[in-house]
Every structure is written in C-alpha cells, then in structure tokens.
Amino acid sequence: MGEHAVVIVGAGFGGVGVAIELRRAGFDDITLLDAAPELGGTWYWNTYPGAACDVPSHLYSYSFATRRDWSRICSPQDEIITYLRDVARDHGIDELVEPNTEVVACAWDSDDACWTVTSRDGRTWSAAAIVLATGQLNQPAIPQFESTFAGHSFHSARWDHAYDLRGKHVAVVGTGASAVQFVPEVAEQAARLTVFQRTGNWFLPRENHLYPALVKAAIEHVPGLQAYRRRFIYNYGETLTAAIRHPDSPWGKFLAWRSAMFMRSQLTDPEIRRKAWPDYTFGCKRVLFSSAYLPALQRPNVELVTEPIERLSDAGVVTDDGRERAVDCVIWGTGFHTSRFMFPMEISGTGGASLRDAWAISGPRAHKGVVVPGFPSMFIVYGPNTNTSGGSIIFYEETQAGYIRQALDEVRRRGAAAIDVRPEVAAASDAALQARFAGTAWTRCDSWYRDESGRIITNWPGYMREYGAALRDLDPSDFTFVPQPSRTTVPA
Ligand code: NAP
C-alpha cells in the first residue's frame, strides 16, 4: 500500500473525476474498482434505445474537459461514454481501473488506521482512504409482483439488445426519465405497446435536433461562445431549481403553466390527456424533458393503462380490474433502489460500527453529502442529499472531488492517518439542510427522493451555486484527525 493509497469504488463520472482531482494534487497511488467490465458507470449500463442525457452536454461534462463539438444539445449515450473514456485516457485514469470487481465490504481497522476493501471474489486492497462513488442510481429495481409470467422480461438499465421487439406485444412498466426516452423508440418497433403508468409526469419540451453546421462551427471557433453556452445552461438549470424551491411564487407558477400548456398542445386525445396528467405539484418529481413521449402515447399501436398492476399471469399483465393484457415481453422502466446508495456493500467504521445499521436508524445522511462521522477518510460521491433536479450532477461530483482533495491534503499536511467529521458538525449541517426543504415542491408528493419516513434523502435542497459555495473551502475545525498508529517493536 502506498502512503496515500486511495481506493475509489465506482468508475463512472464521479469516480473518474475524483481520481483526476487527486492525481493532480499528487496522490498517485489510486485504484478504481468497478463491477462492470469497463469504466462508464450509469453510461455503461444504460444502453436502452433513445438513451441520452436530458441535461445539455455543454454543462453535462467536466469543467476541465469541455468540448466544442457535441453533435446535439443533449448527447446520446454512446457519445457520452466515448467522452468519459477519452477524458479518463487523457488523464491516465483508464489504467487505474480494475473492472469486473464488485466490492462487497469496506472495513476500517482502527489499530492500523486503514481500510480493507474486499471484492466478491475474495481479493482485498488496503487503503488510507476510500471513495464510494457508486451513486444513487446503480441498482435496478423490479417490483415484486406475484408472477407466473412465461414471457421475456428485462430492466431498462440491463437492456436485452438480443431480443427483437419487432412484431411483438410489449408492456412497459413505469413512466420515469428512462421510460420516456425509450417508449417512443419501442413504439416504433413493437406491433403493440402497453404502457403501465402509476403516476403522471410534468413535461417540458426537448426536441434535441443535431446542431446545425453553422451553430456547431460558431461554438467551435468563436472565442468565448462555448463558455457562454455552458454558463447559460447552468443559469437555466438554476431557474428550474428556483421554480421547484418556490412553487407558489410567480416564477414557480409560470413554469408549471408553461409545462401545462406544452402538455396540452401535445396531448390532443382528451382521454389520454386525462390519464397522463399529473396530480401533484410541478417539480415534486423529476420534470421530464421530451417532445416525443406524449405523442408516442397517442399512436394507434400504443395503449396507456393507469389501472394499478395486480400481478403477472402466464400470458401477461393483470390489472386490479381483473383485465389481462397478453404480452410477449415486459420491460421494467421502474427505476432504481435509490435509498440503498452503496449497499448491499458491508461498511464498518470505527469500533466496527455498521453504516447500514447507522442509516437504518437515522436515514441516509452525510455531512455535505460526502463524509459520515465514525467512518474516517471515507468519502461518498453523489451521496445523500446531493442529487439535483435542475442542473448537472457532474457539477456536484466535481465539487465533491475538490472537497475530498482538500480533506486528504489536510491529512497529508498534518502527517495524520485519517480525517473524521465531528458528529455535532454533521448533525447541525443535516438539520440545517433538512429545514431548507420546507415549502419546496419536493415535499408535496411521494417520490424516490424520500425514504419510508418521508425524509428527503437524495436531493440537495438548493442551487448548484450554493452547493459549490458550501464545499469550496473545507474547514479543518469541522474534523478530528486520526493519528498515525504508533509502531512498537515487540522484543523477540
Ligand atoms: P424513475 O424515475 O424512478 O421512474 C420509475 C417509474 O417506475 C416511475 O414512473 C414509477 O412510478 C414507476 N414504478 C416504480 N415502481 C412501480 C410499481 N411497483 N408499479 C408501477 N410503476 C412503478 O426511474 P428512471 O426512469 O429509470 O429514472 C431514474 C432517474 O435516473 C431519474 O429520475 C433521473 O435522475 C435519472 N435519469 C436521468 C436521465 C437523463 O437524461 N438525465 C435519463 C434517465 C434517467 P411512480 O412515479 O408512481 O413512482
């Protein structure tokens, strides 16, 4: 183990970003472990037809590796993963990735003041610090309906490209950000598509044409234009957050009206409009950007079903009204186990305390979304309360990378072994953070942002700029420092 050995679990945008930041600061002994056969994180796993980011690429990219030649406003999956691979290669991070390595445990050893990281196949790594960069959206969730279904099925984040949808009767369960991207594509291919919706969504337009050659050339060649675009999209994201933070303000009401007008213009069939219409405050769940999904629902080969699913029979999907719809294939667009974060990994900190047990009692929480008391030099990327509803998660992850770098710099400067946030500091910051949700749209419905108790555990309650400011300068007085273990020589 090197003096500053850092093990990063997860080689998506978050993990790669931390590795780049730490290497720049002279932390050379870094390993990234990832369960997938290659780096990429969510962009490795999500290859469903139509997969793209609905955050424009001029913002959904690292600030230190901006590009001028994105093909579209919102890039498709292959362009994004190619970008991430390129950045990782340019910074020598690709060579640090151990693929096919599923981490099952991380244990802090107080005597040796270091972490032991264990993979499913029994390999271990020693580390002075660990970074858990597995994110919030890494474990596909499939509802546990009673089922005797004999047909084919798969989750949207594990798309079965070998399965030919042409001519098939297909059911899609779920109508979130993933489904609205692949439903229009599936509707084109399948003979018949039945979409099972539990809750309607609010929509804003997203045409996502290719950049016209002239615009692309201007962005590439006019000095400052690309930086201006990035800043413009950043500010646009902040205005969306403003509407969600203040749903009763004139701006919040205006954006809800704008969404309603757009949906009304798209949903010309009154029956489908009635079914698809959301029954909660604009912005409470993720606002979806698509100009293709609602028209797809009105195709003659598509049916939108809002009756709850009761079970899966041998032949298809049975709803509460007793009706069975026979299908060849069920596609689960049912999202992720967001509240599990890095679990089922076993993580034990000082005195063997289990993170799972701690969070089972308190709910997932971390100071600034990154550090947890009693887990020295353990850092979380895209952890509790760091999700964004109106911005780029890469901004948040870069901000966290800078904070982690400062923490490890401080450990190095003091010649300490590790850094541990003070419990009272973490408790105070969590209370302040939770108080900021009062009055926001996020509190006005049930969503994957909340745990069973109703506590909002995934989202940051404010703006990107506020998160950036909160993590810009690490305050060493927020932390205690674990001394290097004393090495006593046992006489022979
Ligand atoms: P999701 O937003 O959690 O949507 C899951 C869908 O499945 C919802 O419509 C949900 O209904 C439904 N569902 C869940 N359990 C169900 C059940 N038992 N019966 C019936 N329906 C059920 O998941 P996702 O679409 O995969 O997206 C997850 C997140 O990934 C997004 O919120 C976003 O942050 C991210 N994402 C981003 C992009 C992008 O372009 N930036 C694209 C895709 C995904 P309810 O609404 O009633 O819960």
Side-chain angles (χ1 to χ4, degrees), residues 461-473:
Y463 300 94
M464 284 184 277
R465 61 171 182 276
E466 292 174 322
Y467 193 69
L471 275 71
R472 188 165 299 130
D473 299 307

Side-chain angles (χ1 to χ4, degrees), residues 142 152-156 158-160 163 165 329-333:
I142 296 181
H152 195 58
S153 66
F154 52 87
H155 189 278
S156 64
R158 299 289 183 274
W159 198 270
D160 184 354
Y163 186 78
L165 294 166
C329 174
V330 175
I331 302 173
W332 300 104

Side-chain angles (χ1 to χ4, degrees), residues 19 22 30 46 53 73 145 153 202-203 220 227 278 322 341 382 402 409 419 429 452 487 492:
L22 292 183
I30 296 172
N46 285 276
C53 189
I73 296 177
F145 294 114
S153 66
W202 289 104
F203 284 81
E220 270 189 82
F341 291 91
Y382 194 7
D409 256 345
I419 183 169
S429 73
E452 299 77 40
R487 303 274 174 214

Side-chain angles (χ1 to χ4, degrees), residues 299-323:
R299 290 173 57 116
N301 67 331
V302 177
E303 182 191 11
L304 177 65
V305 176
T306 51
E307 199 65 39
I309 296 172
E310 186 205 88
R311 65 188 170 87
L312 269 64
S313 63
D314 293 1
V317 182
V318 182
T319 43
D320 271 1
D321 54 3
R323 191 163 163 202

